[in-house]
Amino acid sequence: GNRGDIDRFDDYLTDLNALIYGLLLPQTGLASYSLFGHSFGGLLGAHWAIRAPKELKAVILQSALFQVGFSMPPLKAALVRKLAPWRPSWTVSLSLNPRWLSHDPKVIQQYADDPLVHNHITLRCAVAMEGAMHAALAGAPRITHPTLVMCGEEDCVVSPAACKQFHERLQCAKRLHAFPQCYHELHHESVFPTVMEEVVQWVRAHG
């Protein structure tokens, strides 16, 4: 399909199901797996965990998109919701500032130069994502797999407060690590070694 467009959020879960059960497990011979999701992938990972597949053993969500971290003009947000049923294929800018990703200038420049970066989504995609964010927060208490939540305290791409809210709503084994003075991409921040150690320890303990 077109870039930045999706009919239903569940289409992503259908693709993830095909990847795991059609490729990952059959090709590796593994009986179980752990799931890591970053940003939008964190939102997707949360929805996957809500489905509670039995082969899933541990979940790691980094800078997950449960709410955007920057303010959208109220009029723009209202127009997106109003126009989506009538003009679903119209596009809107994500308004993402590359400087919000990392303190590392090289990472910012690489993002700016990357031809695969796409900063527009359709109105129906925007509405689907908004609904998915609300559904993930509402569905958090249904997750049964051990879940590690990590975020940067100064993240402007996604809301650190929403990540903390998601963690608070979890009823499973859980851990929250909010990194002070860090932006969105923790794997491109100075805390990367600590992030990796957190992930390794969580998978070893629960995977």
Side-chain angles (χ1 to χ4, degrees):
N2 295 325
R3 297 182 71 187
D5 187 25
I6 192 73
D7 288 329
R8 301 176 309 114
F9 184 82
D10 278 358
D11 289 348
Y12 292 116
L13 297 173
T14 299
D15 287 348
L16 182 56
N17 185 82
L19 176 65
I20 292 171
Y21 293 103
L23 182 63
L24 175 66
L25 298 184
Q27 292 297 318
T28 62
L30 295 172
S32 63
Y33 63 96
S34 298
L35 184 69
F36 177 96
H38 168 72
S39 197
F40 178 80
L43 175 62
L44 180 57
H47 275 268
W48 186 252
I50 290 170
R51 291 188 169 194
K54 63 180 182 180
E55 295 85 3
L56 178 60
K57 297 303 178 184
V59 180
I60 303 100
L61 305 177
Q62 175 184 285
S63 308
L65 177 61
F66 299 122
Q67 180 181 322
V68 295
F70 53 94
S71 60
M72 179 183 290
L75 179 59
K76 182 178 180 180
L79 284 173
V80 168
R81 297 188 192 99
K82 290 289 186 182
L83 291 174
W86 307 101
R87 293 291 186 270
S89 61
W90 282 10
T91 60
V92 60
S93 171
L94 293 175
S95 303
L96 195 155
N97 187 334
R99 295 186 181 277
W100 297 340
L101 298 177
S102 170
H103 286 86
D104 188 341
K106 292 182 180 179
V107 172
I108 297 169
Q109 191 60 51
Q110 286 171 356
Y111 180 90
D113 295 340
D114 189 344
L116 297 180
V117 168
H118 189 72
N119 282 320
H120 288 76
I121 59 174
T122 62
L123 300 189
R124 71 176 145 226
C125 181
V127 171
M129 288 174 60
E130 182 180 40
M133 287 184 259
H134 291 304
L137 289 171
R142 292 160 46 198
I143 295 177
T144 59
H145 304 292
T147 302
L148 169 63
V149 178
M150 298 183 292
C151 63
E153 290 281 18
E154 295 186 14
D155 195 338
C156 291
V157 178
V158 306
S159 166
C163 291
K164 295 174 183 178
Q165 181 185 359
F166 177 85
H167 173 264
E168 290 172 1
R169 293 180 58 80
L170 291 170
Q171 303 298 312
C172 57
K174 62 182 180 179
R175 172 170 167 73
L176 170 69
H177 193 151
F179 292 85
Q181 301 179 332
C182 285
Y183 290 170
H184 184 60
E185 295 188 346
L186 297 177
H187 52 287
H188 287 144
E189 293 282 71
S190 62
V191 297
F192 173 65
T194 305
V195 171
M196 284 302 301
E197 184 62 24
E198 288 270 11
V199 172
V200 170
Q201 289 184 1
W202 194 256
V203 172
R204 284 178 175 171
H206 303 286

